[in-house]
Each structure stands twice: as C-alpha cells, then as structure tokens.
Amino acid sequence: MKEIKDPESRAIELLSQMNIEEKMGQLVGYYPKPYSEEELEREYPHGAGQVACFAMREMKTLEEIATHQRMIQDKIMELSEHHIPAIFHMEGLCGILIREADGFPSGIGRAASWDPELEKRIGFVVGREAAAVGASMVLAPVLDISRDSRFGRQGETYGEDPVLAASMGTAYVEGIQEKGVNGLRAAAAAKHFLGYHNSQGGIHAANCDIPYRLLREVYAKPFQAAIRKGGLKTVMPCYSSLNGEPVSASREILTGLLREEMGFDGLAVSDYQAVSEIHTRQKVCESLTDAGMRALRAGMDMELPSRTCFNEELGQWFASGRLDMEILDTAVKRILTEKFRMGLFDNPYALGETQLKEIFHTEEASELTLQAALESLVLLKNDGILPIKAPVKKAAVIGYHAASTRSLFGGYTFMSMTERWLGARNTMAGVEEEEITSDCDNQLYPGSYVQQEHPLAEKLAKELRPDSNNLLEQLKMIMPGTDFSYAFGYAHAGEDMSFHEEALSAAEEADLVIVTVGGKYGTGSMASTGEGIDSTNINLPPCQEVFLEKLEKLHKPVICIHFDGRPISSDGAERCANAILEAWNPAERGAEAIGKVLLGEYNPGGKLPVSAAYHAGQEPVYYNHYNGSSYHQGTVGAYRSYADRPYEPRYFFGYGLSYTSFEYSDLTLSTRKTEPSGSVTATVAVSNTGASEGDEIVQLYLKDRYASMTRPVMELAGFRRIRLKPGESQNVTFHIQISQTAFLDINKKWKIEAGWVDVLIGASSQDIRLSDSFCITSDLYIDGKDREFYAETRIGQIGETDYFSKRDEAVR
C-alpha cells in the first residue's frame, strides 16, 4: 500500500531534487499582459511560482478564462524540470475580478452587517469561484485597522476595531479555504501586514509610526485571530515603512513578529512591486538585487507580480555561497508545501465548461448578494419619514449616484476595474497598465483633481451587469404610482454648481425629495476615493454640500442616501434631510436592497464599523482610545471640545437606527470572581418592543477599571446580530475567555492582570444599556498567540438553560 505523505513531507522530498535555477523560479510571479509564450520561455526558463490573473478581467466568457489558465499552466509546468504548477492568484475582496463572478458589497459595507456567519458564506462563494477558474490564491481579506477616513482605502477594511475585524476576517478566511473544487482548494491571502492604514497624513504607502504595544494589541490582532482560529495560509505585507524600516525588508516584522511571536507557518507574498520599492522608493538598498536579498532574508517568500529583485544575480549569489542556501530552501519549502496543500499537483487546472456553469450564477449566490446588501445598510437619521408610508404622487430624485449603476460598486470590484477601458488613469500601486486615452483625458471636475467620468460609463456598466438596476430605475419599478422626475444636480466631486437650479426646480414641485450624495469609490482617476486616492476632505464635495444648504430652504421632506468608501459626514445633510441612509457600495443587488428599506419591506439593522468624524481635523478618531485621551481627555480647560468642533465623532462606532425599538434587560454574569485561566458568561435579554420585525446588533464591551498600563476606555469583546419579531424576546449569551483581557505589560509580556473588569452591554459604543462587573483574582502571564480574540455567542429562548453554563459545569 502506497504511503500517503503530508504536504510538508512531499515538499521536502521534491525540494531535495531541485537545482538552484528551478528553486529561484518558484520565488517569483509572472504577470502576462498579454500572454506571450516567447516572453515566458525567455524570462522564466525554469517555470514560475505564481501567475497574476489580471488579464482575465478582459475576457468575456468563462471558457475563454479557463482556456487561458490551462494554456499558461501547461507551459509553466513544461518549463519546470519537475513540472511544478504555478499558483494563480486573483483579487477577491468583493468577489473575484472576472465578468461572470458574483459581486458583493465593499468590505466596510459588509463590516456594517456585523454578521460573521454571512461573511463566511460570502467567502465560500468567492473561494469556490476562484478555484473553478484555476485560481488557488485569493488576495483577501483586508485585515487592516482603519482609523482615518482620509485614507482612500478605508472602504476595503472591516473598520476601526480589532475584534470586529478579527471576527469578520476569520470568517472570510474560513469561507475561502473551506472547500475546494475537484481537489483544488483556494488559500486566503490576508493583507496588508502590518499597520498600513496608520500612515502619516492618511497617505497611501507612507511611513507608519506605531509603538510596540499598539502594533501588537490592535493592528496585529485580526491577523493573529485569522492565523490561530481560521488557519490563514498566506499573508501579504504592506507597502509602508514601519517605524522607519520597509515592512517587506523587515526581519523583525516578517520573522520575529509574524512567525516567531504569532506562530504563522504559511507564505509571505509581496504586494505588487513592494520588494523593488525597497530600493526605488524607500532608498534602503543600493540595488534591486540587494533589496531582494534583504526581503528574502527577512522572511518574504515570493515576489509579485513579476521577477525584478529575486533575479538571476540573486541566484548566482546562492550558487557562489555568498548567501546561505538554507535561506532559499526555507522559502521554496514553504511554497511547495502550500502548493501540495492546495492540491495543485493533483489538479492544477480550471474546470471544464459544463462544470464552470454549475459553479457560477447560482440562485443561492444571487440571494447572498442581496442579503449582504440588505445587512450592510445603516440608518443614521430618521424623524419618522421612513419607511415611506403614504402613496407619493410626485417625487424628485437628485444626484449623480441615483442614475449610476457604477456607483453601486466600490473599489476592487470588476466594475470599478473596467473604467480603464474608458481612459481612466491607473491609481493601483505596483500595477503597470497600458495607457488608454479618451476624449475625457485631463478634463477634471472643477475644483478637484478627479477626472470627469466618461459619458459612456453607464452604458458600459449596463453591459457588464444588465440585471442590475440603478436606484432611479429601481424606484420607478417599485413605486409605479409615483411620478418621478430626475435631475443630475451635481457630480461626485468638485464645486460645479451649474446644475443646481434645475434640481431645485424639480424638488420644489415634488412631494418627496430623494437625494443621493457621496463620492465615487474605485480604482483609477475617475474615482474620488480608493487606492492611491487619499483626501484632506472627508466631507461631501462643495457641489453637494452647497446644494443641500439650498434645498433646506425649500422645507421639503428629504431622504438622503449616501454612497462611498467612507461614512457620510455632512452638516448640510444633518440639517436638510429627514432621514439619512448609509449605503456604502452595496453591489449588484444594491438598488433592490435600498428600495426594500425605503418601502419598509426590510428593516435596516446595520451599525457603523467606524466612527464618523465631523471634520478631517479630528482624524484619527476612534472609540477605543486610551483613558485620558480623545473625547475622554478629562483635564480641566477653557473648553471641553475643540475651539470649533466637538471632540466626539458625528456618529459613534456601533451606531445605527431601526424602524423598531429594542429593550435590554436582565444582564446576568455566571460569576463575579474568576481565575485568570477561566471564563465568564454574560447573558442579556433583548426584546423587540416596537411594531416591526427587525435586527439588533447586541454589543459587549469590557472596561478594565484600573491597570498597570494605560488601557482603552472600553473595548469591544463580542457581538451578535439577532432578528426579533414584534413582542419577541431572546437571550443572548456571551462566553468571555478571561485571556481576552490580556495586554502587554511594562516588560512587554502578555499579562492577564488581577482586578475589576466592567461588562458593558449596549446598542453602540455610546449607547450602553446595562452593566455589571467581575473580578480577576490573580495575575497570569500567557503566550499572546494563545489568547482568545472575541467572545463566542449563542441565542436562546427566554428561560432556556444556557449552553455555555452547561458546558462550563461539565468541565468543572
């Protein structure tokens, strides 16, 4: 009987048979643009470790994509002396970037759902579709902690809190990696390790100054959770320097922190051109080869998207003995181990045409896109105008977004990536694309740097997503008795107010005004926020803010719907609108979801995953700041605010309204005293006291009363989204492992510290409904990677014996 070997054993055996040239080939990616067999043979004579799938964006059918993948895979295996297949990698933040794939809301929108179970199901669809076309690495999720809305990529993240990001991100990793297709299993590649969104000035790829404790307690936490709880197999380091050293060249970060402290045993793959930027941009090494040497020594296993620094000269350094062969072998062993784990050696190819059709366009996936859109929506203001109750005779719909299918989709979606076809200049770091020109080139919206949208943008969007209505089309369909008038009003950027009068005239004649506002989240020079598109202004552009000031004077009932990769912050909307709905970028069934909320067919239950500042001058602003800081500063002074704005955010973390009301009662702790190695269960009764069925997101925060180090004023420890019918009550039970309270002490050791901890239960970080406390009886030092990251939860009927209590009793 043939022995079945584990992936690592198979990797070690294969590695022993490889020469230096073939090993070096495994370290690098190949970026076909377009594919050239001659180029591949010339530049990669011994094969390649990975292949970028960006060319698949241009292809119209699944069969064309599959043929493309098989052709390149065959050639790479032919070039490799041991026929080693390549990993094909593909972006997967909101779905894989091909025409036929299912598309989901932006990362920040899905974070607003606070629903890890839903996130795991989304990850499952993304992983299956990737594997179906032969892509065994999905570049997602984004586990960055985002505390600054100036940063253009906030929309990719799960927000400002490490527990929310850890729970949602771990679920996405589990979904992607859960099940393969015909033996090929995708791996999630979490990014951007580490601290990338804490950059100076909110600028992409700038240096990040992050102290030792903050880096580990906050920024590393989602990655640590995904590694320990989700089995994360790949990490993509960020472009930034961290405390003055490029992350991609930092042995302290990539080996010391990631592997030795955090226990990661998978692949570290570079962000595009990040290794070469050590030399070209950060000026740390004197040559590209030196940069490659430093990155490889630091713990970077693969250079993407193509060979620049892990080059022939570096191979010669290994051959001559200048570099220790163990460095090369360590990286190649990791690469081969992952390839065996993925199943690449058994099935390296995309599915056939019939099997592909079975994977894509399923009814289940389509319903999932709708559910994700519905759960992402956050109601920020409502004076009773929503849901729309009486028949509306005449309604005015105003704003660029209302008539734009494209605005439903955020950055890193197939939709946003297609704008380059219309002449948008690329803003993606590390991606060199053919320059495409158009009549709109260099025409900017007045008062901005944003390129004007091409007049054919909506036509292209309709071709790509023919079944996706824009909001105006959806409203006309679901409100057939209403006479709708549409006015453009204003763009998504700049200060052009020439369309205001037409829009105000339409509003004046209407019984109801629906205004759509916000920026354009995407990738490319036609977007106002996204990768490489940072801002000093986090508010609405002048063309929109001034319009709202004018609209306010008409005293019309106004519903405001916001689209963007950052939350709305607008004085005009606060004064003018009777209701404000945060829609983010809800994707292909987003207009349908918004329509259901407006008419009351679905009760919005989303909550903000970030604090929304009044002004960029407050940034960064976040709820879990240290005691004695931010809006809990607490010192005596002339003001308890800035001289011109509050210290507090406009909207608090965890905030969101509903069409119904919820009452919290009967908070019960399983114990008031616990050993540091123990646990506490907290049970709370939640009742729907209103007239509508709805979702509530029950939030559990912990507050360390007094500690040996300055600690946050409060920290999210767990949460649960529940649906209750009118009059229905449920118990929500949180199982809190005491190791969740661990922090780095004065000697930088993970410590569970004796003392009192307050348990706070609420509907947001600012709306705490109930509280109690427990005492940790003694100190305990632990290994940080073994601590718990978020509380398990359970829902039960009132009066039902709690599962966690029974489990704990059985253990005792």
Side-chain angles (χ1 to χ4, degrees):
M1 184 175 178
K2 187 176 179 181
E3 180 186 1
I4 299 176
K5 297 182 179 179
D6 63 89
E8 184 175 359
S9 297
R10 295 175 72 183
I12 292 171
E13 183 178 322
L14 177 55
L15 178 65
S16 68
Q17 303 169 31
M18 296 167 64
N19 60 34
I20 289 178
E21 291 79 13
E22 191 177 16
K23 290 176 183 178
M24 290 298 298
Q26 289 303 299
L27 301 185
V28 296
Y30 166 54
Y31 189 1
K33 44 174 190 176
Y35 171 64
S36 164
E37 183 174 310
E38 180 182 343
E39 178 201 34
L40 183 56
E41 289 177 345
R42 181 180 68 252
E43 301 295 332
Y44 299 85
H46 301 278
Q50 291 209 34
V51 177
C53 290
F54 272 91
M56 293 181 182
R57 292 177 299 169
E58 317 288 331
M59 299 173 187
K60 295 186 177 180
T61 67
L62 290 170
E63 184 56 35
E64 184 182 359
I65 289 169
T67 301
H68 170 82
Q69 191 272 343
R70 294 187 207 109
M71 176 178 61
I72 296 178
Q73 187 71 285
D74 274 336
K75 188 62 183 178
I76 285 176
M77 292 171 67
E78 176 189 318
L79 292 170
S80 167
E81 288 84 340
H82 289 89
H83 309 292
I84 301 173
I87 296 169
F88 282 68
H89 67 258
M90 182 175 286
E91 296 289 351
L93 173 66
C94 304
I96 61 173
L97 300 186
I98 64 174
R99 185 185 294 251
E100 300 293 332
D102 290 285
F104 296 94
S106 57
I108 198 168
R110 302 206 308 276
S113 75
W114 297 57
D115 191 344
E117 293 178 2
L118 177 65
E119 190 70 355
K120 183 175 180 178
R121 292 170 60 200
I122 293 170
F124 179 79
V125 170
V126 173
R128 290 259 296 167
E129 292 185 350
V133 296
S136 56
M137 183 176 289
V138 177
L139 305 185
V142 173
L143 298 183
D144 295 307
I145 298 302
S146 179
R147 292 173 160 183
D148 191 337
S149 291
R150 296 173 300 172
F151 199 97
R153 302 183 75 170
Q154 186 172 55
E156 298 176 33
T157 74
Y158 291 118
E160 72 184 45
D161 181 78
V163 166
L164 179 59
S167 180
M168 297 291 286
T170 298
Y172 202 60
V173 168
E174 290 174 334
I176 288 172
Q177 298 183 169
E178 182 176 6
K179 185 177 181 181
V181 177
N182 278 15
L184 182 63
R185 175 178 292 183
K191 52 186 188 178
H192 306 85
F193 193 81
L194 185 62
Y196 171 57
H197 279 243
N198 193 37
S199 64
Q200 293 173 347
I203 298 172
H204 158 74
N207 183 64
C208 304
D209 292 311
I210 308 176
Y212 184 96
R213 291 180 182 82
L214 183 64
L215 187 71
R216 287 158 174 78
E217 292 179 356
V218 173
Y219 290 95
K221 190 170 189 175
F223 290 92
Q224 181 72 85
I227 291 166
R228 191 174 77 80
K229 297 175 73 71
L232 178 68
K233 298 302 180 185
T234 310
V235 162
M236 177 176 278
C238 68
Y239 283 112
S240 302
S241 289
L242 179 58
N243 302 326
E245 183 182 26
V247 173
S248 295
S250 175
R251 182 169 179 80
E252 178 185 350
I253 297 300
L254 299 186
T255 296
L257 175 59
L258 179 61
R259 297 190 184 279
E260 294 172 1
E261 284 188 42
M262 299 174 66
F264 179 68
D265 63 358
L267 287 180
V269 302
S270 82
D271 211 333
Y272 277 25
Q273 305 294 354
V275 178
S276 61
E277 286 190 357
I278 297 168
H279 166 68
T280 61
R281 186 171 68 87
Q282 290 152 327
K283 309 295 184 183
V284 166
C285 296
E286 294 188 357
S287 72
L288 291 171
T289 309
D290 285 331
M293 176 180 66
R294 181 157 173 175
L296 197 60
R297 278 176 165 171
M300 185 75 78
D301 298 311
M302 305 187 82
E303 180 185 17
L304 301 180
S306 53
R307 184 203 311 271
T308 304
C309 301
F310 289 3
N311 53 32
E312 186 176 345
E313 182 181 23
L314 187 63
Q316 291 169 356
W317 291 359
F318 282 112
S320 68
R322 178 176 174 180
L323 286 176
D324 187 346
M325 187 65 70
E326 185 179 352
I327 298 171
L328 176 60
D329 286 349
T330 297
V332 176
K333 189 188 84 169
R334 289 175 186 149
I335 295 164
L336 296 177
T337 299
E338 185 57 22
K339 288 185 176 184
F340 279 117
R341 191 203 67 81
M342 290 171 169
L344 267 173
F345 284 88
D346 302 311
N347 179 21
Y349 300 114
L351 298 180
E353 184 175 4
T354 301
Q355 291 174 300
L356 282 171
K357 290 179 179 178
E358 293 173 356
I359 297 291
F360 289 84
H361 304 303
T362 66
E363 183 64 27
E364 180 182 2
S366 178
E367 289 304 309
L368 197 60
T369 65
L370 175 60
Q371 188 64 27
L374 288 166
E375 292 196 16
S376 73
L377 302 176
V378 184
L379 186 62
L380 297 176
K381 180 182 179 181
N382 185 26
D383 68 359
I385 192 174
L386 288 178
I388 298 171
K389 302 172 185 64
V392 179
K393 292 182 179 180
K394 188 172 182 60
V397 180
I398 297 167
Y400 151 80
H401 302 83
S404 168
T405 302
R406 162 63 186 85
S407 67
L408 298 173
F409 298 83
Y412 274 89
T413 61
F414 177 74
M415 181 70 76
S416 72
M417 294 291 185
T418 61
E419 294 195 314
R420 60 181 294 271
W421 301 350
L422 298 175
R425 293 180 297 280
N426 176 49
T427 61
M428 283 183 69
V431 179
E432 299 176 6
E433 294 189 328
E434 179 185 355
E435 190 72 20
I436 300 173
T437 60
S438 76
D439 293 338
C440 293
D441 270 9
N442 301 318
Q443 295 183 28
L444 308 180
Y445 288 109
S448 82
Y449 295 134
V450 180
Q451 184 182 343
Q452 288 188 15
E453 187 173 75
H454 195 282
L456 296 179
E458 182 64 6
K459 181 175 183 295
L460 175 61
K462 287 298 186 187
E463 290 175 1
L464 298 176
R465 286 290 184 268
D467 297 328
S468 292
N469 286 335
N470 60 43
L471 182 58
L472 179 63
E473 293 167 336
Q474 187 69 22
L475 291 172
K476 288 180 177 179
M477 185 176 73
I478 64 176
M479 299 173 66
T482 300
D483 179 16
F484 283 97
S485 61
Y486 171 71
F488 174 76
Y490 37 76
H492 56 270
E495 54 190 31
D496 182 6
M497 303 175 195
S498 60
F499 297 94
H500 282 191
E501 290 308 314
E502 177 190 6
L504 290 169
S505 295
E508 198 162 19
E509 297 175 4
D511 304 310
L512 175 67
V513 181
I514 299 174
V515 295
T516 59
V517 297
K520 181 177 179 181
Y521 172 35
T523 305
S525 53
M526 291 182 188
S528 62
T529 185
E531 182 173 352
I533 313 171
D534 309 312
S535 304
T536 60
N537 181 19
I538 64 167
N539 306 111
L540 299 181
C543 60
Q544 298 179 17
E545 192 70 23
V546 172
F547 176 81
L548 292 172
E549 292 172 3
K550 295 176 181 177
L551 180 61
E552 181 186 11
K553 297 174 182 177
L554 298 183
H555 303 291
K556 291 285 183 176
V558 174
I559 298 169
C560 177
I561 304 170
H562 181 253
F563 298 85
D564 211 336
R566 60 169 66 98
I568 187 173
S569 183
S570 166
D571 293 342
E574 276 295 312
R575 292 195 308 268
C576 170
N578 301 86
I580 301 174
L581 183 67
E582 180 59 73
W584 315 105
N585 297 98
E588 53 198 52
R589 297 188 70 176
E592 183 179 353
I594 293 169
K596 287 181 178 293
V597 166
L598 295 183
L599 295 189
E601 296 174 14
Y602 184 86
N603 188 348
K607 305 269 189 172
L608 287 179
V610 289
S611 303
Y614 281 95
H615 187 274
Q618 289 178 276
E619 300 287 9
V621 60
Y622 47 93
Y623 87 95
N624 52 347
H625 46 264
Y626 289 133
N627 284 310
S629 302
S630 191
Y631 49 93
H632 290 90
Q633 177 226 18
T635 57
V636 176
Y639 297 102
R640 294 183 182 271
S641 66
Y642 292 106
D644 54 353
R645 287 283 190 177
Y647 285 145
E648 292 82 3
R650 187 186 296 272
Y651 304 115
F652 290 88
F653 174 81
Y655 170 77
L657 301 175
S658 173
Y659 294 156
T660 191
S661 56
F662 298 97
E663 181 180 278
Y664 291 61
S665 63
D666 301 325
L667 173 60
T668 304
L669 301 186
S670 60
T671 182
R672 299 297 300 280
K673 289 187 177 182
T674 177
E675 295 293 325
S677 59
S679 62
V680 174
T681 59
T683 300
V684 60
V686 183
S687 303
N688 184 342
T689 55
S692 304
E693 182 177 17
D695 289 4
E696 175 66 325
I697 297 169
V698 185
Q699 300 164 42
L700 165 71
Y701 296 88
L702 297 180
K703 177 180 177 62
D704 195 338
R705 287 188 190 174
Y706 294 95
S708 58
M709 305 295 295
T710 308
R711 301 298 300 142
V713 295
M714 62 195 306
E715 295 180 279
L716 183 70
F719 57 90
R720 184 65 182 252
R721 183 169 185 140
I722 61 172
R723 173 160 287 254
L724 297 174
K725 297 176 181 177
E728 183 182 6
S729 298
Q730 293 273 10
N731 274 340
V732 180
T733 300
F734 298 92
H735 186 68
I736 307 162
Q737 295 283 355
I738 302 305
S739 64
Q740 287 183 246
T741 69
F743 61 88
L744 289 162
D745 74 352
I746 191 70
N747 297 311
K748 299 177 181 176
K749 294 181 179 180
W750 287 100
K751 181 183 184 182
I752 302 172
E753 192 167 79
W756 284 94
V757 176
D758 293 329
V759 177
L760 312 173
I761 302 284
S764 80
S765 61
Q766 192 67 10
D767 184 9
I768 301 301
R769 307 288 182 87
L770 300 168
S771 65
D772 205 336
S773 57
F774 62 84
C775 180
I776 303 172
T777 57
S778 61
D779 295 346
L780 179 67
Y781 287 94
I782 63 171
D783 189 327
K785 66 176 177 291
D786 295 330
R787 72 194 193 277
E788 189 50 77
F789 304 97
Y790 44 85
E792 292 182 62
T793 62
R794 179 182 180 270
I795 301 172
Q797 296 291 334
I798 298 297
E800 184 175 285
T801 302
D802 174 50
Y803 158 78
F804 294 124
S805 297
K806 289 193 294 185
R807 185 181 68 178
D808 293 345
E809 182 64 33
V811 171
R812 287 192 291 269

